[in-house]
């Protein structure tokens, strides 16, 4: 069942009912200021860090689930009816409802009783505030007198403290109101140099800033007493919970439409300019921001700029195929999700509270694989930030905080796959841009500016961190965990509530990961190539010999007859082997080892892929392992804490399915690769939204596996490495256009039935229009390539470099 439809022309997902199977959200903002907004106007906003600079309050796990947001109550003074255009929180039946989630904006329209209200929300480029344009139209034949009441609840900045430290916080709230602007200035009197404001571009008829006065102590947001009464109470918050609410009274003739521009903004002020008079905050910067959006024309202009911004980002890779679903995933929604994931890491979504996790070392490196072609400069900055949290021995902090950019001590280090992802991320940046100067940047260890080395040296430490930490079979030691954060082989936790990520490990130096071995062979060649590009031939050769050894070791000790083993545990026992009772086969080493080319010549890679299909595949995607763990295993850790079929315990982890897609393309299996792709690509799941439940325009981290009660139901949408890896799988491996060190590589692996397709790729300043035809209906194999009519040797198009548009004709066969 569908709850809306794609509007490909406007690049929007259009939702036709507020009662979606779960709140379907969108993100506003690309730079410093961000908002999350659901299809019923729920959500919140923050500046840079969702934990430390939260502007508006949001209660996770609330009842009803998605309560709290930017609410605009419409009060009809003729019949005392009141309602909200996004349906929530009043939930009065609407004569018409529509939500359009677009690229960086959301537009919600509700109509009731002859009045239509459109609520448009976005964050203009380079602006630290959310703009809300409310358009109110009288669709009836009679005059209407209405009041619009706005509502936003301020969070007292630190979202964690805000939800816990009530003995203090209920006494600190402070506001100022002047003209049509409400200023939230809690803690500004002491150490904060920032405040928030909420304005509207016309004279107001009243306001409220005290939550209890507006809502009523015993009321809910569905019946605020001020809205029920139809008159603002002009309350001034003093302690308790500050809010912002304006009342604007409007009289509308039949057919008349009026619009109002509200701004929810953030201001940061130099210490010496904080006050304009004792206890009176300096409002100048806020007024300047408000002035920027005084009129509708200002709003329209900013919307056009935002559209142009996205047009440019998306133009870097556009496909024209016969498949609408594929087109909309590749051209719009997958790259859009990649940007959001790059910005947010795993911090703020409807499943991540914004206070829990910082930027992940491995996560951010993977995220930039799907983002680097959009804004390479930002990817570069991120790489340098990440690398600065690495230790001298090559190990790394697992996470860091975006505001401080310092490694997160609470989580610490010891995830032995982490360092390798830095090589992958950096190589992706260099392949995209050709900019090898990044390797010469001086980068601190452990954020210590007095202890630095070149980025190249950091990569070398990453590479050798693996070599310096091999176990009894010569495979990499796993440490706390590898990519699978829940496979905790040294943890042995038996206290309820202990974190598997941080509980002291028993460091036996025995538990080994076949996955890290595969990852090493996968990314190692990039490191060797970078050595060569720097003229370090001996270092390159040494790296290659380590890679060759690892490949051989993986075949000797990491293959179990029909598939790759997963690991050896703390006692040196096999995991992911047919000898095990449960957890006999895992997806991750099959994907990663075959992507790395291990066992291809020997025919073992083929075997592994057959095993995946036979043992792990389901109609909703490939599960992580089988059989699931039915009980808790002290020696395996968190993976066995989840009920069978959920999360890492045999859930469909959408992050590692693309590794199978890519692995299948290594073997030339284009039909199978695309089958796996389309099983989990959200646009293909739109028709089963009642089962899938999450947004049909973005990936979720997990879909419940076949052992779960709710097989096919997704959770944790938006912030997941799934976005980047599926983007890599479809754009680079299946459609086969891949940035490489010395040019643009063209090597598709597609369903044999396809006749062809066309891709426009902007690469290092040139635009390549690539026409691929498949006259012989093969899956893989390039017969010929021409560039501007001239034949190209091999499958790499050398960069032209004149900033022009170039025609590339590719014939498969
Ligand atoms: C989550 C984590 C990621 C990890 C994965 C598997 O997505 O963010 O770092 O690799 O789970 O456990
Ligand atoms: C839990 C989750 C896993 C995630 C990890 C991050 O273990 O199950 O997916 O990677 O937390 O801290």
């Amino acid at each position: 069942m569908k709850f809306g439809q794609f509007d490909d022309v406007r690049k929007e997902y259009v939702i036709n009912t507020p009662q979606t199977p779960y709140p379907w959200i969108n993100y506003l903002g690309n730079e410093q200021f961000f908002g999350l907004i659901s299809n019923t106007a729920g959500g919140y906003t923050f500046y840079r860090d969702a934990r430390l600079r939260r502007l508006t309050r949001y209660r996770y796990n609330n009842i009803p689930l998605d309560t709290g947001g930017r609410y605009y109550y419409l009060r009809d003074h003729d019949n005392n009816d009141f309602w909200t255009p996004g349906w929530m929180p009043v939930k009065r039946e609407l004569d018409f409802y529509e939500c359009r989630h677009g690229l960086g904006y959301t537009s919600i329209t509700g109509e009731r009783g002859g009045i239509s209200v459109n609520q448009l929300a976005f964050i203009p480029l380079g602006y630290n505030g959310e703009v809300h344009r409310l358009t109110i139209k009288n669709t009836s034949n009679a005059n209407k007198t209405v009041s619009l009441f706005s509502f936003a609840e301020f969070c007292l900045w630190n979202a964690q403290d805000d939800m816990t430290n009530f003995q203090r916080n209920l006494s600190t709230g402070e506001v100022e109101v002047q003209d049509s602007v409400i200023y939230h200035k809690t803690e500004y009197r002491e150490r904060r140099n920032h405040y928030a404001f909420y304005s509207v571009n016309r004279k107001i008829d009243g306001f409220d800033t005290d939550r209890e006065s507006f809502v009523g102590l015993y009321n809910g947001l569905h019946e605020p007493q001020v809205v029920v009464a139809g008159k603002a109470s002009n309350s001034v918050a003093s302690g308790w919970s500050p809010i912002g609410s304006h009342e604007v009274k409007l009289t509308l003739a039949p057919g008349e439409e009026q619009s109002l521009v509200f701004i929810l903004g953030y201001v940061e002020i130099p210490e010496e300019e904080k006050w304009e008079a004792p206890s009176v905050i300096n409002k100048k910067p806020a007024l300047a921001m408000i002035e920027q959006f005084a009129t509708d024309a200002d709003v329209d202009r900013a919307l056009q700029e935002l559209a142009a911004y996205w047009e440019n980002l998306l133009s870097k890779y556009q496909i024209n195929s016969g498949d609408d679903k594929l087109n909309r995933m590749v051209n719009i929604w997958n790259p859009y999700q990649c940007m959001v994931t790059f910005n947010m890491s795993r911090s703020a979504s409807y499943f991540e509270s914004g206070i829990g996790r910082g930027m992940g070392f491995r996560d951010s490196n993977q995220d930039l694989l799907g983002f680097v072609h959009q804004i390479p400069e930002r990817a570069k900055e991120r790489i340098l930030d990440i690398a600065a949290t690495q230790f001298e021995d090559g190990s790394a902090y697992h996470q860091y905080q975006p505001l401080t950019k310092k490694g997160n001590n609470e989580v610490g280090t010891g995830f032995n796959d982490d360092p390798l992802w830095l090589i992958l991320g950096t190589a992706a940046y260099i392949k995209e841009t050709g900019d090898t100067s990044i390797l010469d940047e001086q980068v601190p260890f452990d954020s210590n500016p007095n202890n630095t080395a070149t980025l190249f040296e950091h990569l070398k430490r990453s590479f050798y961190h693996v070599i310096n930490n091999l176990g009894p079979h010569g495979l990499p030691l796993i440490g706390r965990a590898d990519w699978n954060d829940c496979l905790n082989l040294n943890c042995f936790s038996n206290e309820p509530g202990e974190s598997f990520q941080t509980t002291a490990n028993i460091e036996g130096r025995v538990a080994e990961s076949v996955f890290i071995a595969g990852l090493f062979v996968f990314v190692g060649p990039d490191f060797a190539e970078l050595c060569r590009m720097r003229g370090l031939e001996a270092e390159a050769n040494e790296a290659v010999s380590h890679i060759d050894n690892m490949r051989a070791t993986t075949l000797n000790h990491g293959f179990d007859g029909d598939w790759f083993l997963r690991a050896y545990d703390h006692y040196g026992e096999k995991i992911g082997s047919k000898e095990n009772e449960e957890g006999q086969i895992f997806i991750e080493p099959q994907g990663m080892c075959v992507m790395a080319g291990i066992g291809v010549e020997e025919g073992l890679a083929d075997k592994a892929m057959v095993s995946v299909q036979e043992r792990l595949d389901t109609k909703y995607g490939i599960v992580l392992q089988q059989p699931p763990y039915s009980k808790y295993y002290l020696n395996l850790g968190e993976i066995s804490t989840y009920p069978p079929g959920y999360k890492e315990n045999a859930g469909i982890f959408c992050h590692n399915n693309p590794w199978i897609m890519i692995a299948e393309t290594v073997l030339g299996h284009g039909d199978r690769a695309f089958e796996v792709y389309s099983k989990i690509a959200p646009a293909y799941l739109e028709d089963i939204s009642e089962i899938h439940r999450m947004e049909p325009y973005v990936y979720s981290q997990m879909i419940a596996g076949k052992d779960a009660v709710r097989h096919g139901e997704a959770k944790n949408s938006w912030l997941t490495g799934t976005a980047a890896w599926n983007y890599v799988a479809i754009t680079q491996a299946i459609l086969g256009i891949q940035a490489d060190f010395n040019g643009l590589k063209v090597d598709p692996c597609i369903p044999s039935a396809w006749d062809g397709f066309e891709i426009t790729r902007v690469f290092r300043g040139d635009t390549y229009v690539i026409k691929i035809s498949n006259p012989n209906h093969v899956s893989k194999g390039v017969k010929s390539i021409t560039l501007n009519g001239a034949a190209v040797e091999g499958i790499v198009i050398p960069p032209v470099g004149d900033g022009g548009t170039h025609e590339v004709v590719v014939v498969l066969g």
Side-chain angles (χ1 to χ4, degrees):
M1 193 199 293
K2 299 208 293 185
F3 297 83
Q5 67 281 337
F6 288 93
D7 182 335
D8 295 329
V9 174
R10 293 169 61 163
K11 304 188 180 71
E12 294 171 338
Y13 193 78
V14 187
I15 302 169
N16 302 326
T17 167
Q19 286 166 281
T20 42
Y22 206 75
W24 285 0
I25 73 164
N26 193 14
Y27 283 82
L28 313 176
N30 298 319
E31 294 147 328
Q32 311 252 45
F33 195 80
F34 298 99
L36 285 69
I37 183 165
S38 71
N39 60 311
T40 58
Y44 59 94
T45 79
F46 61 92
Y47 172 74
R48 283 184 59 189
D49 187 316
R51 173 168 176 174
L52 299 173
R53 290 287 187 283
R54 186 83 64 99
L55 261 77
T56 58
R57 190 173 278 162
Y58 191 74
R59 294 172 188 78
Y60 279 88
N61 219 347
N62 207 349
I63 306 172
L65 185 64
D66 182 27
T67 319
R70 312 115 177 111
Y71 292 142
Y72 289 92
Y73 297 87
L74 200 286
R75 175 74 155 61
D76 188 334
H77 288 298
D78 298 329
N79 54 16
N80 296 342
D81 186 30
F82 66 90
W83 51 281
T84 30
W87 188 64
M88 285 286 273
V90 179
K91 296 203 284 182
R92 290 272 155 76
E93 198 181 319
L94 299 171
D95 302 330
F96 175 81
Y97 162 90
E98 183 182 87
C99 168
R100 289 177 170 264
H101 284 316
L103 305 179
Y105 66 89
T106 286
S107 166
I108 300 173
T109 307
E111 181 170 350
R112 180 178 160 93
I115 298 161
S116 164
V117 179
N118 174 261
Q119 167 179 3
L120 168 75
F122 73 108
I123 294 171
L125 294 172
Y127 193 73
N128 291 331
E130 259 187 38
V131 173
H132 302 162
R133 175 159 67 189
L134 274 286
T135 309
I136 299 127
K137 184 172 183 179
N138 180 354
T139 57
S140 77
N141 301 324
N143 285 334
K144 290 275 186 192
T145 309
V146 300
S147 279
L148 187 75
F149 294 92
S150 64
F151 173 79
E153 182 177 7
F154 293 112
C155 180
L156 307 185
W157 302 113
N158 178 333
Q160 165 96 345
D161 186 72
D162 181 67
M163 283 294 174
T164 47
N165 193 6
F166 301 107
Q167 60 78 26
R168 167 181 163 86
N169 294 342
L170 296 181
S171 294
T172 57
E174 286 189 290
V175 298
E176 281 181 39
V177 183
Q178 197 186 332
D179 302 325
S180 299
V181 191
I182 294 162
Y183 298 87
H184 174 231
K185 58 170 188 177
T186 302
E187 290 188 341
Y188 188 79
R189 59 164 60 244
E190 24 133 348
R191 291 154 297 175
R192 294 196 180 275
N193 64 346
H194 42 266
Y195 63 77
F197 66 88
Y198 192 21
S199 66
V200 56
N201 65 344
R202 74 161 82 184
K203 225 176 135 315
I204 56 176
D205 295 278
F207 62 86
D208 276 281
T209 63
D210 173 56
R211 190 180 81 203
E212 198 175 311
S213 307
F214 179 76
V215 181
L217 188 55
Y218 293 100
N219 292 27
L221 288 177
H222 63 290
E223 48 170 14
Q225 64 186 16
V226 156
V227 180
V228 172
K231 182 93 205 82
S233 78
N234 297 346
S235 59
V236 177
S238 175
W240 299 109
S241 298
I243 61 151
S245 174
H246 312 84
E247 180 187 354
V248 181
K249 224 178 191 166
L250 306 166
T251 309
L252 297 163
E256 187 184 347
E257 185 178 282
Q258 294 190 27
S259 67
L260 306 166
V261 180
F262 292 83
I263 294 168
L264 186 55
Y266 172 86
V267 165
E268 224 166 67
I269 293 191
E271 188 60 36
E272 48 308 341
E273 293 168 27
K274 273 176 76 170
W275 306 99
E276 66 186 41
S279 300
V280 180
I281 63 172
N282 177 357
K283 304 187 179 61
K284 265 197 219 119
L287 294 173
M289 280 178 72
I290 293 166
E291 189 51 38
Q292 276 182 264
F293 291 95
T295 66
D296 271 324
D298 296 329
V299 174
D300 290 334
R301 194 178 345 100
L303 282 168
Q304 277 160 19
E305 283 167 11
L306 188 62
Y309 173 82
W310 273 107
E311 193 67 43
N312 172 50
L313 294 183
L314 299 180
S315 72
K316 305 286 168 64
Y317 194 122
Q318 288 286 302
I319 185 177
N320 184 353
S321 78
D323 179 346
D324 285 344
K325 293 173 180 158
L326 179 62
N327 291 348
R328 61 177 69 115
M329 285 313 311
V330 171
N331 295 342
I332 305 170
W333 294 99
N334 197 177
Y336 183 60
Q337 185 179 4
C338 285
M339 160 74 101
V340 171
T341 314
F342 177 83
N343 283 335
M344 299 284 137
S345 190
R346 307 295 172 269
S347 66
S349 73
Y350 269 28
F351 294 84
E352 300 280 9
S353 64
I355 59 180
R357 295 213 250 166
M359 316 287 284
F361 194 96
R362 84 155 81 84
D363 290 341
S364 292
N365 273 303
Q366 291 172 83
D367 290 345
L368 62 86
L369 302 179
F371 172 77
V372 63
H373 66 294
Q374 292 189 31
I375 311 181
E377 306 77 59
R378 288 193 58 202
K380 174 178 178 180
E381 187 191 344
R382 181 68 55 81
I383 290 167
L384 297 174
D385 286 349
I386 300 170
T389 65
Q390 190 174 26
F391 294 99
E392 275 181 272
D393 71 352
S395 64
Y397 273 111
H398 195 47
Q399 295 177 10
Y400 71 97
Q401 285 310 123
L403 210 59
T404 61
K405 296 190 173 175
K406 293 245 166 69
N408 189 338
N409 272 315
E410 286 157 40
V411 185
T413 172
F415 298 78
N416 283 351
D417 64 317
D418 272 338
L420 288 176
W421 299 108
L422 182 64
I423 300 177
L424 191 62
T426 306
Y429 168 78
I430 296 173
K431 288 175 182 176
E432 181 65 34
T433 58
D435 169 22
T436 50
S437 74
I438 189 175
L439 296 171
D440 297 315
E441 298 266 353
Q442 285 291 321
V443 182
F445 290 110
D446 193 8
S447 306
N448 177 359
N450 300 319
N451 183 14
T452 67
T454 61
L455 180 64
F456 177 76
E457 180 63 25
H458 278 262
L459 300 190
K460 189 171 166 190
R461 308 253 175 131
S462 289
F463 185 86
Y464 283 98
H465 185 261
V466 174
I467 294 305
N468 295 335
N469 289 282
L470 298 177
H473 297 91
L475 292 164
L477 291 169
I478 196 167
R480 284 198 171 277
D482 59 21
W483 172 87
N484 190 331
D485 270 342
C486 298
L487 195 60
N488 315 117
L489 303 182
N490 296 308
C491 189
F492 295 89
S493 170
N494 49 22
E495 283 298 319
E498 270 180 355
S499 160
F500 289 95
Q501 311 269 301
T502 56
T503 300
N505 272 338
I506 301 169
E507 275 301 351
R509 296 188 71 86
V510 171
E512 299 169 295
S513 163
V514 176
F515 172 81
I516 301 180
L519 182 60
F520 182 81
V521 179
F522 180 65
V523 307
D526 280 344
F527 174 67
E529 187 57 32
L530 292 175
C531 293
R532 250 176 240 121
M533 289 163 73
R534 293 172 80 76
L536 303 171
E537 208 51 46
E539 291 213 20
N541 293 339
E542 192 187 331
V544 169
S545 74
H546 287 302
I547 298 165
D548 289 343
N549 280 342
M550 190 69 80
R551 188 181 297 109
T553 307
T554 306
L555 288 171
N556 286 338
H557 298 291
F559 203 77
D560 198 46
D562 290 307
W563 58 79
F564 291 94
L565 276 178
R566 179 63 178 83
Y568 289 93
D569 73 7
H570 179 78
Y571 307 107
E573 302 289 335
K574 292 176 183 171
I575 295 174
S577 157
K578 55 182 178 306
E579 293 165 23
N580 297 122
E581 205 178 310
E582 301 186 319
Q584 293 176 337
I585 170 171
F586 280 68
I587 189 173
E588 308 100 305
Q590 321 312 325
M592 194 48 80
C593 292
V594 178
M595 277 163 72
I598 304 175
V600 173
E601 280 169 31
E602 298 81 355
L604 302 181
D606 265 300
K607 265 192 173 178
M609 288 301 105
V610 170
S611 299
V612 166
Q613 191 162 3
E614 284 176 0
R615 291 169 182 259
L616 299 178
D617 209 6
T618 78
K619 62 177 167 173
Y620 297 125
I622 302 170
V623 298
L624 195 143
Q625 99 278 20
Q626 280 291 294
Y629 295 112
S630 61
K631 53 179 195 275
Y632 178 57
Y633 291 83
L634 193 58
N635 62 322
L636 299 181
E638 185 167 358
I639 189 167
S640 59
T641 65
Y642 290 111
Y646 292 111
K647 296 280 288 183
E648 281 86 341
N649 190 13
I652 297 159
F653 229 81
C654 299
H655 183 148
N656 53 37
N657 275 238
W659 296 342
I660 299 300
M661 300 166 203
I662 300 170
E664 293 284 9
T665 66
V666 168
L667 301 174
H669 303 156
D671 286 287
R672 173 68 180 154
F674 192 75
E675 180 194 339
V676 178
Y677 173 77
S678 53
K679 265 187 193 177
I680 63 165
Y684 293 82
L685 308 180
E686 193 189 12
D687 286 331
I688 57 158
S689 288
E690 80 284 11
I691 298 170
H692 186 74
R693 294 189 64 199
M694 295 298 123
E695 296 91 335
Y697 40 93
V698 291
Y699 286 94
S700 296
Q701 181 202 51
M702 186 220 47
I703 300 171
K706 61 185 173 186
D707 308 287
V709 175
R710 311 181 69 145
H711 185 32
E713 180 187 71
K715 288 197 186 102
N716 200 359
S717 55
W718 284 96
L719 305 185
T720 158
T722 306
W725 274 109
N726 277 278
Y727 188 74
V728 169
I730 188 67
T731 59
Q732 299 181 19
I734 298 176
L735 301 171
I737 311 297
Q738 193 180 352
D740 208 341
F741 289 120
N742 44 14
L744 201 55
K745 192 164 137 193
V746 181
D747 192 15
C749 182
I750 54 173
S752 52
W754 285 12
D755 292 322
F757 51 97
E758 185 179 306
I759 285 172
T760 304
R761 175 71 157 93
V762 177
F763 177 66
R764 301 189 195 173
D766 293 318
T767 303
Y768 298 89
V769 179
I770 308 168
K771 297 192 170 86
I772 298 168
S773 64
N774 187 21
N776 298 322
H777 289 280
V778 298
S779 276
K780 191 169 175 150
V782 171
K783 202 157 114 190
S784 67
I785 302 183
T786 61
L787 169 64
N788 294 329
V792 172
E793 282 267 330
I795 55 172
V796 178
I797 303 166
V800 179
D802 66 0
T805 298
H806 309 288
E807 197 191 42
V808 179
V809 176
V810 180
V811 181
L812 304 181

